[in-house]
Amino acid sequence: MLIHPTSERLIALGFTGMAKALDEQRHAPTTFDGLSFEERLGLLVDREAAERDAKRLTARLKFAALRQAACVEDIDLRTPRGIDRAVMAHLVDGAWIGRHENLLITGPTGLGKSWVACALGHKACRDGRAVAYHRVGRLFEALAIARGDGRHARMLKVLARTDLLILDGWGLAVLTSQERRDMLEILEDRHGRGSTIVTSQLVLS
């Protein structure tokens, strides 16, 4: 049986996960002796699917560029952040993103606003959603540069199509007239199409 050429052909076709699983079966034949052909083939397909899912997740996380490596499983609800367990469970579920709802996280410096936002962004990536993280000040700087080199419209289009946009550090500086217009464009384009998380030290009364 031509095992090695088969593995090489799988790799050439882009089925690297199946090739790895086939090699594992070849090197540990007794482990798989009791399985039928369909079961062994199923293991190859499952491995390929798992590896492709992992690659897609890696790509989504790279695009998201989350500021912190945070996970919702690590959120300590015992910490006095004023987070309601039921509300957090609702946010972790992620259905609100599918409904294009928005989230405002406010509180003083050091409360963990950015960390929680990144944790929710990480969960959204794991759920297969496109996420983008931006510090508000740096986003406006990037938009100003993009306006000068002709990328402004394209950048706004990317922001509009993102399932979850995280705007971190709102209200740290007074916006210029151009920045206000940019923000209006972003929010208008995303209305009914995507969800936005805004973190801010400004507490609404």
Side-chain angles (χ1 to χ4, degrees):
M1 183 177 179
L2 300 178
I3 297 294
H4 290 297
T6 300
S7 295
E8 293 173 359
R9 180 61 63 85
L10 287 171
I11 293 173
L13 292 172
F15 297 108
T16 55
M18 294 184 71
K20 292 177 184 177
L22 181 61
D23 288 341
E24 290 172 1
Q25 292 189 19
R26 182 171 63 87
H27 288 107
T30 56
T31 304
F32 305 95
D33 279 347
L35 301 180
S36 66
F37 170 79
E38 289 79 7
E39 289 172 329
R40 295 181 67 163
L41 179 60
L43 292 176
L44 300 184
V45 174
D46 288 344
R47 178 66 173 274
E48 180 65 33
E51 293 226 352
R52 292 193 179 203
D53 287 343
K55 288 180 180 178
R56 283 192 288 265
L57 175 58
T58 299
R60 286 194 296 271
L61 289 172
K62 182 178 181 180
F63 177 81
L66 299 172
R67 181 185 180 187
Q68 303 186 49
C71 298
V72 292
E73 292 81 3
D74 296 331
I75 295 177
D76 185 1
L77 295 177
R78 296 170 299 180
T79 302
R81 292 192 180 103
I83 301 176
D84 182 87
R85 288 179 180 272
V87 172
M88 181 54 65
H90 168 72
L91 295 175
V92 171
D93 174 76
W96 61 282
I97 301 176
R99 295 190 296 269
H100 311 310
E101 297 173 352
N102 303 309
L103 174 64
L104 175 62
I105 305 175
T106 63
T109 301
L111 194 63
K113 302 180 297 297
S114 299
W115 197 93
V116 171
C118 287
L120 293 173
H122 185 274
K123 177 59 166 55
C125 286
R126 284 157 50 191
D127 289 341
R129 304 182 191 276
V131 178
Y133 169 94
H134 291 280
R135 292 285 295 174
V136 172
R138 292 178 182 174
L139 174 60
F140 287 135
E141 291 175 0
L143 285 169
I145 294 173
R147 185 178 294 103
D149 60 21
R151 294 180 298 108
H152 188 260
R154 184 173 61 187
M155 189 171 178
L156 289 178
K157 184 178 292 186
V158 171
L159 292 172
R161 291 179 176 177
T162 302
D163 296 320
L164 177 62
L165 175 63
I166 301 174
L167 299 176
D168 193 14
W170 176 267
L172 296 179
V174 177
L175 301 183
T176 66
S177 59
Q178 184 59 63
E179 289 170 346
R180 289 196 297 270
R181 284 194 293 271
D182 280 340
M183 183 55 65
L184 179 61
E185 286 288 335
I186 293 170
L187 297 179
E188 181 67 23
D189 288 345
R190 293 183 54 75
H191 180 69
R193 301 178 60 182
S195 294
T196 304
I197 295 178
V198 176
T199 74
S200 177
Q201 295 181 25
L202 301 177
V203 179
L204 301 180
S205 57

